[in-house]
């Protein structure tokens, strides 16, 4: 797995080269081009995605005796509950790290079943527990319902006692990771920021962000604005176009300026007692100061920018991050910009970019060589987040164990 050196992609021209189509994928498209998404018929979209995911999981090999799967219910803030899937490689006498993963599909479709192949693979490769929560979907439940449901699941998982009844003894000090794919990666990044601000205990130790949707035109930090253009460069990309992304957000009624829409959005209300910059409303800044100011606060600037922050906000470092981005994806630069911001904060982060490949392509085309590698990278990246070293886990079999079935 080759990590991207962001310093090698510090000009628009260099970043643009990441989008030059992969030759193996280009050849495949000649005979197997994906159908465009029909976002005018959400029930049909859900049925199609569900059929594909169910066929995929039906083709998975049986679990070995040391890996277990069960379903459970996670209580929500409104006294209702939602189902989740728990996969684990543990024994009653051992404790394991916990990985919480959220599925993707644009706020409107899919389920935890999407992530079962990866959960099975991770549990086969090293001792761990993987929790796959569900969340309510749009348009029946508009934003921010889904991310708030995800937040409830994270709070549930922070109490190890909640999983003991299922035979799992979690030790968060061994690892407490939040992650997801696509929209689920956005949820994970937002919740990692919120967990820090709310001083969630135990603290998160890592975030896994695969093809995240994090940036909109208004919140691109000025210093990186020239490097955020994939939404235009790949506006007609296969699997996910920019129009698809915008339509998903329209259906879910996502407000891109809401704090729960992106970790870049800073604070909704920042009260200060000083006059000056944007302070024309008696000390209440709304919308907030620029994302780069609120995100990149440091000790030297604490008195200037951090003065009078809402009590719920707290300082501290975000957990380290492993990110996957696709070169031919309108969301590519969301991930790259966020990776640069994490680096600027001093957050340990690693990025893999799959040049010339579209959003989440490995799920649609699992037989490609790059798809097998990307699935292996999921395990390698999460193992890194857990502090596992090569040779201490089944890294030599990562691609074979994590690869998606090709015959379904």
């Amino acid at each position: 797995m080759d990590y991207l050196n962001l310093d090698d992609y510090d000009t628009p021209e260099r970043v643009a080269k990441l989008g030059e189509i992969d030759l193996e994928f280009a050849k495949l498209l000649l005979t197997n081009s994906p159908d465009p998404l029909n976002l005018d018929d959400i029930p049909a979209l859900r049925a199609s995605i569900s059929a594909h995911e169910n066929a995929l999981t039906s083709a998975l090999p049986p679990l070995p005796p040391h890996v277990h799967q069960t379903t459970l219910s996670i209580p929500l803030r409104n006294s209702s509950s939602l189902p989740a899937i728990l996969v684990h490689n543990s024994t009653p006498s051992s404790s394991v790290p916990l990985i919480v993963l959220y599925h993707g599909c644009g706020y409107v479709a899919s389920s935890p079943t999407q992530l079962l192949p990866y959960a099975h693979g991770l549990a086969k490769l090293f001792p761990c527990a993987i929790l796959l929560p569900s969340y309510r979907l749009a348009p029946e439940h508009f934003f921010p319902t889904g991310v708030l449901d995800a937040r409830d699941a994270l709070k549930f998982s922070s109490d190890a006692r909640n999983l003991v009844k299922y035979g799992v003894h979690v030790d968060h000090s061994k690892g407490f990771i939040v992650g997801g794919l696509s929209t689920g990666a956005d949820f994970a990044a937002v919740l990692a920021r919120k967990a820090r601000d709310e001083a969630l205990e135990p603290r998160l130790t890592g975030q896994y962000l695969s093809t995240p949707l994090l940036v909109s035109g208004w919140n691109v930090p000025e210093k990186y604005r020239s490097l955020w253009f994939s939404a235009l460069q790949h506006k007609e990309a296969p699997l996910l176009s920019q129009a698809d992304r915008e339509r998903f957000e329209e259906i879910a009624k996502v407000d891109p300026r809401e704090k729960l829409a992106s970790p870049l959005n800073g604070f909704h209300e920042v009260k200060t007692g000083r006059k000056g910059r944007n302070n024309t409303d008696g000390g209440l800044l709304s919308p907030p100061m620029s994302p780069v100011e609120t995100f990149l606060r440091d000790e030297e600037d604490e008195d200037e920018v951090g003065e009078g922050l809402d009590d719920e906000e707290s300082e501290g470092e975000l957990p380290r991050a492993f990110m996957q981005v696709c070169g031919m994806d309108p969301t590519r630069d969301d991930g790259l910009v966020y990776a640069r911001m994490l680096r600027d904060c001093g957050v340990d982060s690693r990025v893999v970019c799959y040049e010339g490949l579209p959003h989440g392509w490995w799920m649609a085309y699992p037989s490609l060589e790059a798809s097998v590698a990307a699935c292996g990278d999921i395990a390698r990246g999460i193992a890194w987040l857990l502090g596992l070293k090569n040779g201490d886990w089944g890294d030599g079999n990562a691609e074979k164990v994590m690869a998606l079935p090709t015959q379904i």
Side-chain angles (χ1 to χ4, degrees), residues 21-32:
I21 191 167
D22 176 85
L23 294 181
E24 185 185 14
F25 182 69
K27 183 178 179 180
L28 181 62
L29 283 183
L30 294 176
T31 57
N32 191 12

Side-chain angles (χ1 to χ4, degrees), residues 277-332:
R277 179 182 51 199
N278 297 328
N279 195 15
T280 60
D281 56 356
L284 182 62
L285 306 184
S286 182
M289 61 180 76
S290 75
V292 101
E293 287 178 314
T294 57
F295 192 92
L296 303 181
R297 300 190 313 281
D298 56 31
E299 292 181 358
E300 294 180 358
D301 200 32
E302 186 174 357
D303 290 339
E304 172 70 9
V305 177
E307 177 185 339
L309 291 178
D310 290 348
D311 290 341
E312 71 173 6
E313 312 298 356
S314 63
E315 294 298 332
E317 189 173 281
L318 290 165
R320 62 178 175 172
F322 169 63
M323 303 176 66
Q324 292 175 298
V325 299
C326 300
M328 196 173 69
D329 181 351
T331 74
R332 177 196 66 209

Side-chain angles (χ1 to χ4, degrees), residues 212-293:
L213 291 72
L214 301 172
V215 183
S216 56
W218 86 275
N219 67 3
V220 184
E222 186 62 35
K223 66 186 294 187
Y224 297 128
R225 186 167 293 277
S226 67
L227 302 179
W228 186 79
F229 56 86
S230 56
L232 179 62
Q233 182 187 10
H234 300 299
K235 65 180 182 179
E236 297 180 356
L239 298 179
L240 180 75
S241 68
Q242 179 61 17
D244 292 334
R245 174 183 178 173
E246 293 172 0
R247 180 62 177 141
F248 277 129
E249 293 174 349
E250 178 185 13
I251 293 169
K253 295 189 177 180
V254 177
D255 181 350
R257 293 176 180 265
E258 276 283 351
K259 187 175 176 182
L260 290 172
S262 169
L264 278 70
N265 285 357
F267 307 103
H268 231 31
E269 295 181 343
V270 181
K271 300 177 182 177
T272 77
R274 53 191 168 80
K275 298 179 180 179
R277 179 182 51 199
N278 297 328
N279 195 15
T280 60
D281 56 356
L284 182 62
L285 306 184
S286 182
M289 61 180 76
S290 75
V292 101
E293 287 178 314

Side-chain angles (χ1 to χ4, degrees), residues 353-404:
C353 181
Y354 305 98
E355 299 183 26
L357 290 162
H359 191 86
W361 89 93
W362 64 87
M363 291 180 279
Y365 300 101
S367 63
L368 290 178
E369 182 178 342
S371 300
V372 176
C375 291
D377 290 345
I378 295 173
R380 295 181 191 281
I382 291 178
W384 172 74
L385 291 174
L386 291 173
L388 301 178
K389 300 184 183 300
N390 288 344
D392 292 342
W393 60 284
D395 53 292
N397 293 320
E399 285 78 13
K400 179 180 178 180
V401 172
M402 295 292 291
L404 299 177

Side-chain angles (χ1 to χ4, degrees), residues 96-117:
V96 294
L98 179 62
I99 304 161
V100 182
L101 299 179
Y102 302 105
H103 69 83
C105 208
Y107 307 93
V108 306
S110 195
S111 73
T113 303
Q114 181 191 67
L115 302 172
L116 265 182

